[in-house]
Amino acid sequence: MRIGLGLQPGQELVLTAPTDALPLVRLITAHAYKAGAKLVTTFYSDDAATLARYQNAPDESFDYAPAWYHDAIATAFKSGAARMGVTGANPALLAQQDPAKVSRANVAASKASKPAMELITRHEINWTIVAAATPAWAKLVFPDDPEPAALSKLWDAIFFASRITSDDPVAQWKQHGENLKRRVDFLNGRRYHSLRFYTPDGATDLTVGLADQHLWAGGGTTAGNGVYCQPNIPTEECFTTPHKDRVNGFVTASKPLSHQGTLIENIRCEFKDGKIVKATATAGEEAINKLISTDEGARKLGEVALVPHNSPIAQGGILFWNTLFDENAASHIALGQAYSTCLIGGEKMSNEELAKLGANESLIHVDWMIGGPTMNVDGLAEDGTAEPLMRAGDWV
Ligand code: ZN
Ligand code: ZN
């Protein structure tokens, strides 16, 4: 409550969580009330029920999402509620289901949740996401272990990655936050025109233009409601808004991506003037192509993030199949919606003003990992002068 969410006395809390996270949610709820929460309300999702829909629901079900539910969440945020998400659903839940149905359901859900999501991407309220180890997730991460061992290994990995294994995690997080802020301040001082990502094996050579008036962010942030929070636990990234029309070259993913229950492996994309002109994958190719066809902005970048290879998550060497963790183990880019808070004065701009500066707009925001132990990153000035930022995955 003190480091992640920054829940305020008298503030309402809206939680979302998988049913398998029930014990953790009960603990969080008790601590939220101790911290002065006015009311804690949790909305549970259940993997078995989600699967039952794909196996049994009529076809028209997949174009429908409960707007009434998402509107209620948006209303809660507008009336001052904080938001906490607990992640832990089975990353491969929908791997065997029809990708067309999965994509239709995702589009419907993204449309319905837009009013609530906008309050999050604009950082209007204090929010955070944390993880709970669940049996199905643990089995995917540690397939060779029996369930109890896999589960306890996943909990250990979550605690290690989240920097809460020391005697004083609150102090450690403050220090970590200050380190991230130093990097962010440095990057903001440089005013790079673009970044170039390249690997010696030739798998990646991508130039990512940065939006005019882009602002780097990382670690904690003060939300529009004045509350300081760490939106992700763990977090290792310094991130900013790319220019939606100035991305060129090709990039190969360094880790598989689990998107809404589908696994997408070895993604390779070619960009021209900001847009993906070709996307391939060795598994889930249909899913990635459906994803980038969601809307006009789904083919363009909304985020670019630098993460050193020597972060604890990267050093743990575990593939989590969960973006909250995997994105903090490697430099990454995100397709879709940009964060308006990553532009100077962006939180007060209209969508048209944001677009003019190069910020992308889309129903989706999907991070995928491109960094690793061989990634080099240069910061480029407008005249093309290059400065080394990262070599072999780590800060220069
Ligand atoms: Zn990110
Ligand atoms: Zn992201």
Side-chain angles (χ1 to χ4, degrees):
M1 303 298 159
R2 274 182 292 161
I3 284 293
L5 186 61
L7 187 73
Q8 300 297 297
Q11 197 177 20
E12 190 173 351
L13 173 59
V14 175
L15 268 162
T16 54
T19 45
D20 283 322
L22 189 61
L24 177 66
V25 170
R26 286 178 175 158
L27 263 177
I28 292 171
T29 302
H31 281 279
Y33 281 124
K34 282 182 194 169
K38 181 162 67 181
L39 185 69
V40 181
T41 306
T42 305
F43 295 94
Y44 287 98
S45 57
D46 174 30
D47 280 358
T50 304
L51 207 52
R53 179 186 182 197
Y54 281 88
Q55 289 163 343
N56 303 289
D59 188 67
E60 66 263 31
S61 166
F62 299 95
D63 296 314
Y64 176 75
W68 54 266
Y69 161 78
H70 297 288
D71 289 348
I73 301 251
T75 304
F77 292 167
K78 280 187 201 141
S79 355
R83 177 234 189 187
M84 183 183 253
V86 179
T87 162
N90 177 2
L93 182 71
L94 304 178
Q96 306 306 321
Q97 305 306 311
D98 176 5
K101 280 185 181 171
V102 176
S103 155
R104 283 163 60 203
N106 286 339
V107 170
S110 304
K111 278 187 188 153
S113 62
K114 199 175 180 206
M117 276 315 292
E118 245 176 27
L119 297 168
I120 300 289
T121 56
R122 284 179 172 266
H123 280 286
E124 299 274 354
I125 59 159
N126 51 320
W127 59 278
T128 197
I129 304 179
V130 298
T134 61
W137 182 19
K139 194 164 176 37
L140 195 69
V141 180
F142 301 106
D144 302 329
D145 290 290
E147 188 183 299
L151 202 54
S152 99
K153 273 189 181 175
L154 183 56
W155 273 120
D156 287 346
I158 289 170
F159 289 147
F160 179 70
S162 305
R163 296 173 182 262
I164 50 175
T165 48
S166 77
D167 292 339
D168 191 350
V170 172
Q172 205 190 355
W173 265 93
K174 284 197 173 128
Q175 181 63 49
H176 179 47
E178 278 163 24
N179 291 344
L180 282 170
K181 194 177 177 304
R182 246 198 342 264
R183 297 249 183 264
V184 163
D185 290 346
F186 169 80
L187 290 164
N188 278 330
R190 303 307 293 163
R191 305 307 314 154
Y192 291 120
H193 183 70
S194 49
L195 301 178
R196 180 180 166 222
F197 294 84
Y198 56 103
T199 51
D201 64 356
T204 291
D205 193 344
L206 186 73
T207 301
V208 179
L210 300 181
D212 308 337
Q213 297 184 40
H214 70 270
L215 200 59
W216 287 88
T221 178
T222 301
N225 64 1
V227 179
Y228 183 82
C229 63
Q230 297 278 353
N232 287 344
I233 303 266
T235 186
E236 303 288 336
E237 58 175 345
C238 297
F239 61 101
T240 192
T241 297
H243 194 292
K244 64 187 173 66
D245 303 323
R246 294 204 290 106
V247 181
N248 285 289
F250 52 91
V251 57
T252 306
S254 56
K255 285 168 181 285
L257 169 68
S258 157
H259 177 64
Q260 311 278 23
T262 307
L263 305 179
I264 309 175
E265 295 179 57
N266 299 305
I267 305 171
R268 189 180 186 281
C269 288
E270 273 176 51
F271 285 85
K272 195 170 184 308
D273 299 331
K275 238 188 218 173
I276 293 180
V277 289
K278 190 177 175 199
T280 58
T282 54
E285 186 167 300
E286 193 181 343
I288 181 83
N289 279 289
K290 284 246 170 355
L291 178 67
I292 62 176
S293 306
T294 305
D295 56 22
E296 182 67 20
R299 279 178 189 277
K300 298 183 171 194
L301 295 188
E303 178 192 337
V304 58
L306 299 176
V307 178
H309 188 65
N310 59 14
S311 77
I313 312 179
Q315 289 304 302
I318 295 167
L319 179 65
F320 283 90
W321 299 97
N322 179 311
T323 300
L324 176 62
F325 290 85
D326 294 331
E327 78 160 334
N328 281 303
S331 290
H332 57 270
I333 48 183
L335 297 169
Q337 181 65 38
Y339 286 107
S340 56
T341 45
C342 286
L343 291 160
I344 297 166
E347 60 281 343
K348 290 191 177 65
M349 289 179 198
S350 67
N351 287 346
E352 291 71 42
E353 289 171 305
L354 292 168
K356 219 178 249 172
L357 296 173
N360 195 31
E361 196 187 349
S362 171
L363 288 170
I364 66 161
H365 178 97
V366 180
D367 296 86
W368 52 289
M369 284 49 80
I370 63 170
T374 62
M375 180 60 78
N376 299 317
V377 185
D378 287 349
L380 306 181
E382 187 155 13
D383 65 6
T385 320
E387 260 178 21
L389 281 178
M390 286 183 149
R391 285 293 176 267
D394 286 316
W395 291 106
V396 169

